[in-house]
């Protein structure tokens, strides 16, 4: 079955300021009857009370359980005043007005009863037409009684709820007391005076000095983080540069080997040029059938001083004789 979600647009009213009263006859209900459901104009009126100092999720969960005990319920929450609380339990962090307002803005609360009694009397139950009282089942010893809810339990009007472990007003106060120096320093830094914090002159100076030390530590930490970030960026860029340099070096070496290596292009080009030069300096001999050998006798013979390459002089004496014959031939021509 689908129930449309109801949006809360206003805080819960105070019981002494509202004109909304239950007009239906207040007949005694048993828990079995209440669990079966009641008419719309006769919701089960459930009452839960407490101090509700430093209102937290544990309080809200207890009220949620009280609200959902029965299919059709109207939750009234009683909050004790400062006088009663300080008398029977102890000093509170929040005053009564703050505690009243905290309860009014809880989504499970339908009505808030201010200055609620410490012990529930028949007159109080009748005045607010309370059917059942919801509270955790742990005996609550106070005001000279071993259990202030004993007579409610005997009357069959008590419905237990479960406590939420790990969260309570006493636990929160314990944390504040344990970390008092931290909170005092923080509030001094935010502009609270030592008088407002009930801090002595010496402790005020100590806390302010510690705040300055913390600021210096934070600055040093920021500088270290920025330095680490800068070094990381430099290392990253250096790595990239080295990687690029290695790639360029390999490319350069490869190109050099292709050009000047054992089988490089430069060697092949040098060999080709060397072959051309050798061909230019030492031309090939003409074949026997060359026209030069069939020249006419009218052509002037070779000079007598040209040696025959095929028959060089066999000795120095023969060389001198040939030279003398050459000189005699010159004289005859003259």
């Amino acid at each position: 079955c689908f129930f449309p979600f109801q949006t809360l647009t206003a805080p819960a009213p105070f019981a002494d300021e509202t004109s909304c009263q239950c007009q239906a006859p207040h007949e005694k209900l048993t828990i079995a009857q209440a669990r079966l459901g009641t008419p719309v104009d006769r919701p089960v009126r459930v009452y839960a009370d407490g101090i509700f100092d430093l209102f937290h999720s544990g309080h809200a969960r207890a009220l949620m359980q009280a609200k959902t005990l029965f299919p059709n319920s109207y939750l009234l929450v009683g909050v004790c005043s400062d006088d009663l609380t300080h008398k029977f339990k102890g000093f509170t962090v929040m005053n009564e007005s703050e505690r009243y307002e905290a309860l009014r803005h809880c989504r499970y609360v339908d009505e808030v009863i201010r200055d609620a009694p410490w012990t529930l009397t028949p007159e109080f139950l009748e005045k607010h037409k309370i059917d059942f009282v919801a509270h955790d089942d742990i005996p609550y010893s106070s005001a000279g009684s071993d259990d202030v809810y004993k007579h409610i339990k005997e009357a069959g009007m008590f419905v237990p709820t479960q406590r939420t472990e790990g969260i309570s007003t006493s636990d929160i106060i314990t944390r504040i007391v344990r970390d008092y120096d931290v909170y005092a320093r923080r509030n001094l830094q935010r502009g609270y005076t030592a008088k407002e914090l009930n801090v002595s002159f010496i402790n005020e100076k100590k806390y302010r000095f510690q705040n300055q030390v913390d600021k210096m530590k934070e600055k040093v930490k920021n500088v270290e983080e920025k330095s680490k970030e800068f070094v990381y960026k430099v290392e990253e860029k250096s790595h990239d540069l080295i990687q690029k340099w290695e790639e360029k070096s390999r490319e350069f070496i490869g190109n050099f080997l292709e050009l000047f290596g054992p089988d490089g292009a430069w060697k092949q080009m040098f060999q080709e040029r060397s072959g051309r030069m050798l061909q230019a300096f030492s031309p090939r001999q003409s074949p026997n059938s060359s026209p030069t050998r069939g020249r006419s006798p009218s052509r002037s013979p070779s000079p007598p001083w040209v040696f025959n390459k095929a028959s060089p002089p066999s000795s120095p004496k023969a060389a001198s004789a040939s030279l003398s014959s050459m000189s005699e031939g010159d004289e005859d021509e003259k």
Side-chain angles (χ1 to χ4, degrees), residues 19-280:
S19 58
C20 298
Q21 300 293 333
C22 182
Q23 302 299 329
H26 186 68
E27 299 177 357
K28 185 70 174 176
L29 291 174
T30 64
I31 293 179
Q33 291 174 335
R35 293 191 188 281
L36 290 175
T38 57
V40 176
D41 60 345
R42 175 61 173 92
V44 179
R45 295 174 68 85
V46 180
Y47 177 79
D49 60 356
I51 310 302
F52 302 105
D53 191 21
L54 297 175
F55 188 80
H56 51 74
S57 61
H59 294 142
R61 289 177 64 86
L63 297 175
M64 178 188 68
Q65 294 177 59
K67 175 69 174 177
T68 57
L69 285 170
F70 307 106
N72 183 20
S73 62
Y74 185 88
L75 180 61
L76 302 93
V77 179
V79 184
C80 299
S81 64
D82 286 344
D83 291 339
L84 278 177
T85 305
H86 297 166
K87 178 181 178 181
F88 293 111
K89 189 170 184 178
F91 192 72
T92 58
V93 177
M94 301 169 65
N95 59 44
E96 59 185 29
S97 298
E98 294 170 335
R99 293 185 286 115
Y100 296 155
E101 285 297 320
L103 266 298
R104 290 185 69 194
H105 292 84
C106 178
R107 64 184 300 179
Y108 309 114
V109 179
D110 295 307
E111 188 175 313
V112 175
I113 301 176
R114 293 182 288 190
D115 193 13
W118 198 261
T119 302
L120 301 178
T121 61
E123 293 77 15
F124 179 83
L125 298 174
E126 179 63 27
K127 176 183 177 180
H128 295 282
K129 299 181 180 180
I130 296 171
D131 292 310
F132 300 100
V133 176
H135 201 275
D136 60 80
D137 202 15
I138 301 174
Y140 193 80
S141 58
S142 181
S145 174
D146 294 336
D147 188 0
V148 295
Y149 297 104
K150 181 178 180 181
H151 64 289
I152 303 295
K153 294 176 181 177
E154 292 175 350
M157 298 175 62
F158 187 84
V159 183
T161 58
Q162 299 295 323
R163 293 177 64 90
T164 301
E165 297 297 330
I167 182 68
S168 68
T169 301
S170 299
D171 292 339
I172 296 173
I173 295 174
T174 300
R175 296 180 207 169
I176 296 172
V177 173
R178 181 191 61 197
D179 300 326
Y180 168 77
D181 290 348
V182 176
Y183 297 123
R185 288 168 51 192
R186 183 186 66 181
N187 287 348
L188 282 173
Q189 193 173 6
R190 291 181 175 179
Y192 288 88
T193 64
K195 184 178 180 181
E196 290 174 330
L197 296 173
N198 195 25
V199 173
S200 65
F201 176 80
I202 296 176
N203 285 336
E204 179 189 4
K205 298 303 178 185
K206 182 183 72 174
Y207 293 149
R208 294 192 183 280
F209 176 75
Q210 289 175 343
N211 287 336
Q212 294 296 327
V213 171
D214 289 345
K215 286 182 180 179
M216 291 299 298
K217 288 181 179 179
E218 188 67 23
K219 288 182 179 179
V220 172
K221 183 179 179 181
N222 292 336
V223 171
E224 288 180 351
E225 290 178 355
K226 290 181 180 179
S227 300
K228 289 179 180 178
E229 184 178 356
F230 175 75
V231 170
Y232 175 76
K233 289 182 178 179
V234 171
E235 289 179 350
E236 188 176 11
K237 290 184 178 180
S238 300
H239 179 72
D240 293 340
L241 290 173
I242 291 172
Q243 187 175 3
K244 290 180 180 179
W245 182 83
E246 290 178 350
E247 292 176 356
K248 293 294 183 182
S249 299
R250 286 193 291 267
E251 183 179 354
F252 175 78
I253 293 171
N255 294 336
F256 182 85
L257 292 175
E258 288 180 2
L259 187 61
F260 299 101
D263 298 325
W266 180 261
K267 182 178 179 181
Q268 295 177 2
M269 182 175 63
F270 180 76
Q271 289 177 350
E272 291 177 359
R273 290 185 178 181
S274 299
R276 292 175 184 175
M277 292 176 66
L278 290 174
Q279 290 178 3

